[in-house]
Amino acid sequence: MSPVSPALLGGPAAFPAGLPLVRPTIPDVPALTRRLQAVLESGLLTNGPAVRELEERVASRCHIDNVVAVANCTAGLMLVYQALGVDGRVVMPSFTFSASAHAVAWSGGTPAWAEVDGQTLTLDPGDAATLSDGAQAISATHVYGAPCDVGALQRLAEGLGVPLVFDAAHALGSSSGGRPVGGFGTAEVFSLSPTKVAVAGEGGLVTTRDEGLAQAVRLGRDYGNPGSYDCEFAGLNARMSELHATIALASLDGLDERIAWRNQLVAGFKQTASGVPGLRYQQIREGDLSTYKDLTLIVEPGAFGLTTDQLAAALLAEGIDSRHYYRPPIHRQKAYAHLAQDRPLPVTDRLAARVLTVPLWSHLTEREVRTVADAVVRIQQNARRVADALVAADGS
Ligand SMILES: Cc1ncc(COP(=O)(O)O)c(C=O)c1O
């Protein structure tokens, strides 16, 4: 039992100056600043060599011929669904970020919610199969960077003869069975937004083996304009600027080392918090590598003694930020209330009520991460008093 009281009960806060959930890691800012200056001085702020270089570097690291840089992952997903002509049912998880579904909705499609696996938190291929009647596509998310069961999903999609789109927003640098994420399914779409392990400020990358699909996305990111201003379809302006591509290129430097470090940090957290009742983690499949874009705790309130809301409040008193990724799950969000939910999603609902994501950045020290874990241990050891204090504060 820790001799120190949780901050909520009067002990010293673990991080008096606060510990935010995420901070992007930008290696060598002075060198990047010089590269950005060169872009600014070139007068070529878009449609230039940095975007092409980024596409080539990602193609080479993902062992794939076609990479199209876009303004963000959401737009990339929208352009993929548009190019695939998806305007009907898309089997997809509800336990993912809202943009996975918004892209389907913007293209005129309708999500058909499937369960995730309760251990890996990625789309359950068996449950997805039960929804496959009339499906036009399957979408799956490499949640927090953990690769989906890509083999089973590819077999399912091939059997149905429908495209398989991976929302790979979290997973640039992940691999499954030794093969880099980016090479699976019909297309994969990465995000380079500031909460990711590789960042551009804002940005996305579409990867695909399908040359025609790549061409359509390339055209689609540029209004659908082939250069003649005689647009072939209603596209978007979803280009990535040269400035963003330059940041992304710098962010690719050291990406594998940062991912290895994040895995080590997670191992340190788990070691410090080992034996805490009611606390478990997402399972990463044997042979797979996760970016650990997020470190998410799965808290069983009965055994742990606190709900995730109570744990979040106690962590906040320690100065530690956290988020309920993903609560509410998408099928419970207002934006999708119009969709008839004719089948329950007990695994998704259960998980959504039990997840709490805690800070993990690539330049955190192992000591800092273990300090977060220590705070979780301390809070759990004093769960009854913490719960009482929160109830009392609520009533005052
Ligand atoms: C799973 C998932 N999909 C899509 C997105 C959207 O990415 P972007 O912000 O690049 O559009 C995010 C953003 O965090 C995400 O977490």
Side-chain angles (χ1 to χ4, degrees):
M1 180 95 171
S2 166
V4 182
S5 280
L8 200 90
L9 300 176
F15 293 91
L19 186 72
L21 189 75
V22 193
R23 279 284 176 273
T25 302
I26 315 273
D28 201 350
V29 171
L32 173 57
T33 307
R34 285 192 295 278
R35 286 162 78 176
L36 289 169
Q37 186 177 350
V39 173
L40 292 169
E41 287 171 356
S42 77
L44 206 58
L45 300 186
T46 195
N47 289 332
V51 165
R52 282 196 295 277
E53 186 185 339
L54 175 66
E55 291 176 344
E56 280 160 19
R57 258 180 85 180
V58 173
S60 140
R61 71 167 291 141
C62 293
H63 310 161
I64 187 123
D65 288 340
N66 306 295
V67 177
V68 186
V70 285
N72 54 65
C73 172
T74 311
L77 287 166
M78 287 162 62
L79 291 172
V80 166
Y81 291 122
Q82 183 190 43
L84 292 170
V86 168
D87 59 2
R89 275 161 61 84
V90 177
V91 176
M92 60 174 301
S94 165
F95 189 82
T96 174
F97 186 63
S98 51
S100 313
H102 292 354
V104 170
W106 271 88
S107 77
T110 308
W113 310 118
E115 288 281 35
V116 288
D117 177 272
Q119 305 302 316
T120 64
L121 316 196
T122 57
L123 181 63
D124 177 340
D127 196 58
T130 67
L131 288 163
S132 58
D133 242 13
Q136 283 191 352
I138 298 172
S139 161
T141 302
H142 303 302
V143 178
Y144 315 137
C148 296
D149 187 347
V150 289
L153 291 172
Q154 285 188 160
R155 283 191 294 281
L156 176 63
E158 277 160 24
L160 295 168
V162 299
L164 171 61
V165 177
F166 285 110
D167 181 333
H170 305 168
L172 183 54
S174 295
S175 62
S176 179
R179 290 173 55 203
V181 166
F184 298 107
T186 309
E188 304 213 52
V189 188
F190 297 114
S191 171
L192 298 168
S193 79
T195 57
K196 308 305 182 295
V197 185
V199 300
E202 296 288 352
L205 296 157
V206 177
T207 60
T208 178
R209 293 191 192 285
D210 181 335
E211 180 74 31
L213 178 59
Q215 281 306 335
V217 172
R218 238 174 242 290
L219 206 55
R221 76 175 170 185
D222 218 2
Y223 319 104
N225 172 17
S228 61
Y229 294 91
D230 184 5
C231 288
E232 294 182 10
F233 57 89
L236 295 172
N237 174 359
R239 292 186 304 264
M240 179 186 284
S241 81
E242 287 290 284
L243 294 162
H244 291 94
T246 302
I247 297 171
L249 280 165
S251 188
L252 286 182
D253 291 342
L255 175 60
D256 295 319
E257 289 78 4
R258 294 204 297 283
I259 291 171
W261 180 239
R262 295 172 85 89
N263 275 264
Q264 193 173 318
L265 291 176
V266 171
F269 185 102
K270 288 181 179 174
Q271 191 186 52
T272 300
S274 68
V276 169
L279 177 61
R280 67 183 178 96
Y281 307 89
Q282 177 186 35
Q283 242 176 42
I284 311 298
R285 273 182 203 80
E286 185 81 27
D288 287 3
L289 175 71
S290 173
T291 57
Y292 274 110
K293 193 287 257 183
D294 289 311
L295 167 54
T296 296
L297 315 182
I298 306 171
V299 177
E300 293 298 335
F304 190 88
L306 295 168
T307 64
T308 51
D309 282 323
Q310 291 172 322
L311 174 57
L315 286 172
L316 195 60
E318 303 284 352
I320 300 169
D321 196 10
S322 64
R323 293 282 189 291
H324 301 276
Y325 286 156
Y326 293 101
R327 190 187 88 191
I330 312 179
H331 73 285
R332 296 207 175 271
Q333 295 182 16
K334 290 185 195 76
Y336 296 93
H338 61 285
L339 295 183
Q341 183 53 31
D342 45 8
R343 65 198 291 271
L345 295 169
V347 179
T348 297
D349 283 333
R350 219 183 133 77
L351 267 176
R354 284 163 176 72
V355 283
L356 192 68
T357 302
V358 295
L360 187 71
W361 345 323
S362 304
H363 56 286
L364 276 182
T365 63
E366 188 160 340
R367 178 140 179 245
E368 286 167 318
V369 169
R370 285 183 186 264
T371 302
V372 176
D374 272 331
V376 171
V377 172
R378 223 167 29 243
I379 291 164
Q380 194 283 323
Q381 286 175 343
N382 292 277
R384 171 69 61 83
R385 289 169 59 222
V386 167
D388 288 348
L390 285 167
V391 169
D394 239 16
S396 61

